[in-house]
Amino acid sequence: MFGYIKAYKPELKVREDEYYRAAYCGLCRAMGKCYGCRSRTTLSYDMVFALLCRIAISGETPELYVGHCALHPLKKRPFMKISPELAFTARASVLLAYAKLSDDVNDERGAKKLAARVGRAFLKKGNKKAKRELAELSEQINSGLTELSLLEARCEPTVDRPADLFGGIMANVLSHGYDGADKKISRKIGSHAGRWVYIVDALDDCEDDEKRKRYNPFLMLYGACPTEEQKKAVIDVLTAELNEIRNALDLVDEGERRDVFAILENMICYGMRNSAMAVIGKDKNK
């Protein structure tokens, strides 16, 4: 995954920050325990967002504990105990990482292609296990990425269509196993979060893609990287996506899980906006 969906820690309360770190470290430990230590290298903050969304929607209340981490042996850290939603997110993380690496093997060249091959080899065994456990979702992810690759190969001058396809992949991940209102809400969150990630990632890669003569939807649409005026329109689109995510989350009953909702609110209102503006203004060191 990409790692753009992060919390903005200066705005988190102490207990919220602890819960956020527990979710991240708990997901990391779950991936390592179930799919091997090498799978931990593919962990991203985007999937922590997915985990917290599924916890919010399902009503699950995972327990936290304090323990040691092999990477940080001197100080105890908070961890989230294995729960159905944590176990699911660990499986989905491996499936998405393997599919993304396979896509990079086909699309990249040189050192990046080699790195993707090596990473995919390390994840092969874990992916087989996760695929057995989530066969339907694995098929949805792979077919979605295949459709996205075919669309990109046609070099159509559009950002919306590939963003919609990636949004569909994330909608399938967030809504897997749900039905009724929960499915509708989780699909809406996943769809708009996926669209947001695709657009930000495309904008982030635009200059590099232009130099290397690779596909980028903004290059197809504008013929070059977006100008400052065009970036304003992109900001409006990204803001609209965040509003849709927040509106969908407002439909979920908060109950006693205030910390989870506070973290998600932080990620949507501060963290994602901060990530987007860092990408948009990176050429000016903003």
Side-chain angles (χ1 to χ4, degrees):
M1 292 295 287
F2 304 93
Y4 294 109
I5 306 180
K6 300 178 182 179
Y8 184 62
K9 291 198 172 188
E11 289 292 334
L12 288 176
K13 294 179 180 178
V14 173
R15 68 171 184 271
E16 294 164 0
D17 182 52
E18 189 168 291
Y19 194 101
Y20 183 59
R21 288 189 291 120
Y24 183 91
C25 293
L27 182 55
C28 179
R29 177 163 285 185
M31 291 174 69
K33 185 176 181 180
C34 298
Y35 306 105
C37 287
R38 290 168 178 169
S39 69
R40 295 184 180 191
T41 61
T42 65
L43 175 63
S44 80
Y45 285 104
D46 296 347
M47 293 309 292
V48 178
F49 173 77
L51 169 61
L52 293 173
C53 284
R54 287 184 64 94
I55 288 173
I57 292 166
S58 68
E60 187 177 82
T61 54
E63 294 181 45
L64 307 186
Y65 70 98
V66 177
H68 287 287
C69 170
L71 292 177
H72 307 278
L74 299 180
K75 187 177 179 181
K76 288 187 175 181
R77 304 172 71 85
F79 291 89
M80 185 177 286
K81 284 187 176 180
I82 288 286
S83 67
E85 294 298 353
L86 181 57
F88 167 82
T89 309
R91 296 185 189 110
S93 296
V94 172
L95 291 174
L96 281 166
Y98 188 87
K100 178 67 170 61
L101 288 168
S102 297
D103 194 48
D104 287 345
V105 168
N106 294 327
D107 295 343
E108 298 290 352
R109 290 175 288 182
K112 287 189 175 183
K113 187 182 187 76
L114 178 60
R117 283 186 182 277
V118 173
R120 187 176 66 172
F122 285 157
L123 276 185
K124 187 174 182 179
K125 186 175 180 180
N127 180 70
K128 280 186 177 180
K129 183 179 179 183
K131 190 175 180 179
R132 287 196 301 269
E133 295 163 336
L134 292 174
E136 181 184 2
L137 181 60
S138 176
E139 177 59 31
Q140 290 172 338
I141 290 171
N142 287 315
S143 62
L145 286 176
T146 298
E147 191 174 354
L148 179 57
S149 294
L150 291 173
L151 177 62
E152 291 176 345
R154 294 198 293 271
C155 296
E156 295 182 18
T158 174
V159 178
D160 275 335
R161 290 191 64 190
D164 280 341
L165 286 175
F166 192 76
I169 293 171
M170 292 308 299
N172 288 329
V173 171
L174 260 70
S175 67
H176 185 82
Y178 295 157
D179 53 27
D182 289 347
K183 192 174 188 70
K184 290 180 180 178
I185 293 170
S186 56
R187 284 197 67 83
K188 185 173 182 180
I189 293 174
S191 176
H192 290 287
R195 278 180 52 84
W196 183 92
V197 167
Y198 186 90
I199 293 169
V200 171
D201 183 62
L203 196 61
D204 198 12
D205 291 343
C206 196
E207 290 183 6
D208 191 45
D209 290 339
E210 187 174 33
K211 289 177 184 176
R212 298 174 183 273
K213 301 187 184 302
R214 295 184 302 201
Y215 168 86
N216 186 290
F218 287 107
L219 297 178
M220 297 299 105
L221 183 63
Y222 297 129
C225 291
T227 64
E228 292 303 311
E229 194 63 32
Q230 289 165 341
K231 285 180 180 179
K232 292 179 182 179
V234 176
I235 291 173
D236 289 341
V237 172
L238 293 174
T239 301
E241 300 297 345
L242 296 182
N243 288 337
E244 290 292 344
I245 297 170
R246 190 175 182 184
N247 290 340
L249 192 62
D250 284 344
L251 299 175
V252 183
D253 181 23
E254 182 177 311
E256 299 298 320
R257 293 155 299 134
R258 293 181 181 177
D259 289 344
V260 176
F261 280 82
I263 296 167
L264 287 170
E265 184 85 1
N266 175 286
M267 297 175 89
I268 296 165
C269 296
Y270 296 103
M272 294 172 76
R273 176 181 169 81
N274 192 56
S275 291
M277 295 311 294
V279 168
I280 289 168
K282 66 181 179 180
D283 55 331
K284 295 183 177 180
N285 296 315
K286 290 185 180 179

